[in-house]
Amino acid sequence: MNTEDDLERLADTLRSAAAAAGEAGENAIPLLTEVVEVPRYDSSELPRTLVEIDWAQLAMRVRENVLEGLLGRADALLDAQLRENLQAVIGRATESLAADLGSTLEQLIRDLVARAVAEEITRVHDEVIRARGTDPVAPRI
């Protein structure tokens, strides 16, 4: 077995377990005082001597068994922690977004008002010049 493939498979298992997890309640969270049941091995599966043991394969098998046992109970814990963390992150992002939108909108309104005032002043100036029929730069005597 390839360790990278095993990690990928474990990540997929975690993702699918998290997606399928519903509201499991407080009983789904293991306590530190609880004993996690690990599957036992048949005596026919065990080697007769320590020399015959493939320690890497045994370690991988034990790790998979422990992870599979914990995955079923970890769903609720992961779901609750993820929900709390996401709510905090979304809250901060919403506040930041609202502040950014407020300043952007304020600046946009200021720019629009300044442009409208400048256009109106230019229009009034042009009307005054047309009404007088004089050159705006020519001095009055």
Side-chain angles (χ1 to χ4, degrees):
M1 288 187 163
N2 186 353
T3 304
E4 192 171 341
D5 292 339
D6 293 337
L7 290 175
E8 182 102 26
R9 185 179 55 79
L10 177 60
D12 289 340
T13 304
L14 282 171
R15 281 188 209 107
S16 63
E23 295 296 320
E26 292 180 21
N27 294 333
I29 300 172
L31 301 175
L32 294 177
T33 58
E34 292 182 39
V35 176
V36 177
E37 292 295 324
V38 177
R40 301 295 175 214
Y41 304 97
D42 290 334
S43 58
S44 63
E45 295 177 330
L46 298 174
R48 287 185 213 118
T49 65
L50 293 179
V51 175
E52 298 175 13
I53 296 176
D54 181 356
W55 291 105
Q57 182 182 12
L58 180 62
M60 178 66 80
R61 186 171 176 191
V62 169
R63 183 175 30 240
E64 287 176 2
N65 287 339
V66 169
L67 286 174
E68 285 176 15
L70 291 175
L71 281 177
R73 303 188 93 195
D75 293 343
L77 178 63
L78 290 174
D79 188 41
Q81 286 180 342
L82 183 61
R83 185 178 299 123
E84 288 174 18
N85 289 337
L86 279 178
Q87 285 176 345
V89 168
I90 290 171
R92 286 191 303 269
T94 302
E95 290 171 5
S96 176
L97 181 61
D100 288 349
L101 285 173
S103 2
T104 302
L105 184 58
E106 180 182 336
Q107 186 60 46
L108 178 63
I109 290 171
R110 287 180 187 276
D111 291 346
L112 287 173
V113 168
R115 187 178 335 157
V117 167
E119 288 174 359
E120 185 63 18
I121 288 173
T122 302
R123 188 187 63 76
V124 168
H125 181 263
D126 290 346
E127 281 185 27
V128 168
I129 297 300
R130 272 194 305 263
R132 283 184 162 178
T134 60
D135 186 5
V137 246
R140 290 188 196 178
I141 302 183

